[in-house]
């Protein structure tokens, strides 16, 4: 019986001990940080890139709102004694904590799944999704459905789940703590799978090893979510073994709020590259180019571009150069060899400025036939710049 939990506290236990305040402080701090990163994401998309928001952005905003609901449940639970030893509480307080727990599991499930969907939508926009990406979508959906199918089956009747603290009659059909443990392991497995989705794409890029490592590290920051999920499983394992439910469950609550917050931060980091470049240029006088600046006191770092990747295919980088003060990357053109034989050569370039270099803007160069002359004509058609080089072959030199 649940009422037996209140009997015989362990000798020497401080019944006035509480960790409610510290848990709430951690939850509030991380929620604030995640809100800041979402704000920076919004700033980057609308002000710096001047692009319309995508599905991944809207899902991340929704994930932030749901995580605020997680924190609200933590604070509400603490108001009724969550974070204190059960022997210092009464039946009414435990009943309220149990009702909050029931609602909290639904909110937590939606928050982590929406954040995962947002990250997967971002990968889909940058790389396109492989079979592993779609597997992650299916696994996340299955996780969400499982929670909604099992939670109403906790007890029979359902209200026995929270009225058991008053000695009501009913049947426990699902061991709550063990269910949390099993579903937490599935959640961790899903996090690991999502972490591998962009890495497989990065390894296929035609970049030097150091560039691949740097890009991979950006995406590997999502491993912090896996660590948070892992520690949450540890807190659930402690809950399984203890009768001090209100004390152990407070750790589960707070880590169920910390994990989505870290997920939001990790999911926003890959979108902040344009903001990072602007800060490095304006604050630290860094120039995002492989060439050194001639200006006095200026510094230069090589911020090599990430290969342009379409949603359905990958284009291979063949050469890098700097045109008009901006860094561009030449893309392979299958017809180059034929056109060179005809004295006509066309090259396609794109600037390396956008988030993960997804959007492709082209610059065309044509080699015609006039000796010793070269001219560049800017043209804003289709958002690109046409640079025309004119050459004339000297037949005597040819011979």
């Amino acid at each position: 019986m649940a009422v037996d939990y209140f009997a015989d506290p362990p000798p020497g236990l401080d019944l006035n001990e509480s960790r409610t305040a510290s848990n709430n402080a951690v939850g509030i701090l991380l929620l604030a940080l995640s809100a800041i990163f979402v704000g920076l994401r919004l700033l980057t998309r609308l002000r710096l890139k001047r692009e319309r928001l995508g599905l991944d952005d809207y899902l991340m905003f929704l994930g932030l709102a749901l995580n605020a609901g997680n924190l609200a449940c933590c604070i509400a639970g603490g108001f009724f004694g969550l974070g204190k030893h059960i022997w210092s509480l009464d039946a009414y307080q435990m009943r309220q904590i149990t009702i909050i727990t029931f609602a909290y599991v639904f909110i937590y499930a939606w928050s982590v799944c929406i954040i995962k969907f947002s990250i997967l939508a971002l990968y889909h926009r940058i790389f396109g999704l492989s079979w592993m990406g779609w597997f992650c979508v299916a696994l996340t959906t299955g996780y969400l459905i499982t929670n909604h199918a099992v939670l109403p089956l906790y007890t029979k009747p359902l209200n026995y789940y929270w009225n058991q603290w008053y000695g009501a009659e009913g049947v426990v059909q699902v061991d709550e703590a063990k269910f949390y443990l099993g579903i937490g392991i599935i959640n961790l497995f899903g996090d690991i799978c999502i972490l591998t989705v962009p890495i497989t794409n990065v390894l296929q890029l035609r970049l030097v090893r150091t560039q691949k490592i740097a890009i991979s590290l950006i995406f590997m920051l999502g491993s912090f979510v896996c660590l948070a999920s892992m520690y949450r499983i540890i807190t659930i394992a402690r809950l399984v073994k203890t009768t001090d439910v209100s004390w152990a469950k407070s750790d589960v609550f707070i880590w169920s709020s910390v994990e989505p917050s870290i997920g939001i931060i990790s999911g926003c980091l890959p979108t902040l590259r344009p903001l990072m470049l602007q800060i490095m240029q304006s604050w630290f006088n860094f120039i995002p180019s492989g060439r050194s600046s001639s200006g006095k006191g200026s510094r230069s770092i090589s911020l090599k571009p990430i290969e342009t990747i379409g949603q359905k295919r990958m284009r291979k980088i063949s050469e890098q150069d700097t045109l008009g003060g901006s860094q561009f990357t030449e893309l392979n053109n299958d017809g180059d060899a034929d056109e060179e034989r005809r004295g006509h050569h066309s090259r396609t370039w794109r600037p390396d400025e956008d988030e993960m270099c997804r959007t492709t803007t082209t610059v065309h160069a044509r080699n015609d036939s006039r000796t010793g002359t070269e001219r560049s004509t800017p043209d804003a058609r289709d958002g690109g710049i046409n640079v025309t080089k004119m050459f004339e072959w000297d037949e005597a030199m040819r011979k």
Side-chain angles (χ1 to χ4, degrees):
M1 294 292 292
V3 292
D4 296 334
Y5 280 73
F6 299 112
D8 301 325
L13 183 67
D14 184 7
L15 298 181
N16 294 320
E17 188 178 9
S18 174
R19 50 188 178 189
T20 301
S22 59
N23 284 347
N24 289 346
V26 171
I28 292 172
L29 175 62
L30 284 175
L31 180 66
L33 283 176
S34 63
I36 291 173
F37 273 83
V38 170
L40 293 176
R41 179 188 187 126
L42 187 65
L43 174 67
T44 302
R45 295 280 285 169
L46 297 181
R47 296 293 299 274
L48 295 183
K49 294 173 58 60
R50 299 187 182 279
E51 292 182 350
R52 300 170 66 179
L53 299 179
L55 176 62
D56 54 312
D57 301 304
Y58 290 115
L59 288 175
M60 192 61 76
F61 301 152
L62 179 58
L64 178 64
L66 289 169
N67 195 33
N70 285 334
L71 182 59
C73 289
C74 289
I75 295 174
F79 178 79
F80 289 105
L82 187 69
K84 297 181 180 180
H85 296 290
I86 192 171
W87 299 279
S88 65
L89 307 179
D90 56 30
Y92 171 77
Q93 290 172 304
M94 285 305 302
R95 179 180 184 272
Q96 299 305 111
I97 290 174
T98 307
I99 293 174
I100 293 170
T101 301
F102 187 78
Y104 187 46
V105 177
F106 282 104
I107 298 173
Y108 166 78
W110 274 101
S111 65
V112 295
C113 289
I114 290 297
I115 293 169
K116 288 180 182 180
F117 285 139
S118 173
I119 294 173
L120 290 169
L122 174 65
Y123 294 163
H124 183 269
R125 182 159 59 85
I126 297 174
F127 303 107
L129 287 184
S130 62
W131 68 267
M132 175 59 77
W134 291 113
F135 171 76
C136 292
V137 172
L139 183 64
T140 304
T141 304
Y143 171 86
L144 188 61
I145 293 174
T146 301
N147 275 277
H148 284 66
V150 174
L151 289 178
L153 303 178
Y154 268 5
T155 60
K156 185 179 181 179
L158 181 58
N159 60 7
Y160 174 68
Y161 178 64
W162 47 83
N163 287 332
Q164 60 183 306
W165 299 102
Y166 285 149
E169 296 293 328
V171 178
V172 176
Q173 300 184 115
V174 177
D175 189 309
E176 175 188 9
K178 291 182 179 179
F179 172 71
Y180 290 162
L181 183 60
I183 208 72
I185 293 173
I186 295 175
N187 182 48
L188 175 60
F189 176 70
D191 290 338
I192 295 173
C193 290
I194 291 175
L195 195 62
T196 64
V197 171
I199 303 303
T200 55
N201 287 283
V202 171
L203 294 178
Q204 298 177 26
L205 303 184
R206 294 183 59 187
L207 300 173
V208 297
R209 182 176 301 176
T210 55
Q211 290 176 291
K212 289 184 179 181
I213 293 174
I215 299 168
S216 297
L217 287 176
I218 294 176
F219 290 108
M220 287 296 292
L221 292 173
S223 60
F224 289 110
V225 181
C226 298
L227 296 176
S229 297
M230 190 177 301
Y231 191 79
R232 180 175 177 271
I233 293 174
I234 294 174
T235 63
I236 295 173
R238 293 172 183 167
L239 178 62
V240 172
K241 300 177 181 179
T242 186
T243 57
D244 196 356
V245 178
S246 58
W247 180 267
K249 190 176 285 189
S250 67
D251 277 346
V252 179
F253 263 62
I254 192 58
W255 279 96
S256 297
S257 178
V258 167
E259 179 193 351
S261 294
I262 296 177
I264 290 172
I265 294 172
S266 300
C268 289
L269 283 173
T271 69
L272 302 182
R273 181 176 179 269
L275 180 62
M276 179 194 71
L277 293 178
Q278 177 156 325
I279 291 175
M280 296 177 79
Q281 291 178 60
S282 59
W283 291 11
F284 303 105
N285 201 25
F286 281 154
I287 300 174
S289 170
R291 302 180 179 180
S292 300
S293 172
S294 59
K296 184 177 181 180
S298 64
R299 292 177 290 172
S300 175
I301 61 173
S302 179
L303 294 176
K304 301 289 186 181
I306 299 174
E307 180 181 18
T308 300
I309 305 169
Q311 292 184 359
K312 300 297 182 182
R313 64 190 181 277
M314 290 189 297
R315 299 171 181 168
K316 298 179 180 180
I317 296 176
S318 62
E319 184 180 348
Q320 296 181 0
D321 200 355
T322 302
L323 296 177
S326 299
Q327 188 172 352
F328 290 80
T329 298
E330 182 181 8
L331 306 178
N332 282 341
N333 189 332
D334 296 334
D336 282 355
D338 294 337
E339 291 182 355
E340 282 186 287
R341 285 193 294 267
R342 295 194 302 265
H344 175 278
H345 182 58
S346 176
R347 294 180 179 178
T348 302
W349 307 75
R350 57 120 170 116
D352 302 310
E353 298 175 350
D354 60 332
E355 136 207 336
M356 311 310 296
C357 298
R358 177 185 63 82
T359 305
T360 301
T361 306
T362 61
V363 177
H364 302 283
R366 171 176 297 179
N367 297 337
D368 283 337
S369 56
R370 180 168 303 190
T371 302
T373 65
E374 178 178 333
R375 62 185 179 85
S376 298
T377 306
D379 189 349
R381 290 176 298 176
D382 299 326
I385 303 174
N386 291 333
V387 181
T388 304
K389 297 181 180 181
M390 308 296 292
F391 298 94
E392 180 179 324
W393 294 98
D394 190 327
E395 293 298 330
M397 293 179 64
R398 181 190 294 267
K399 296 176 182 178

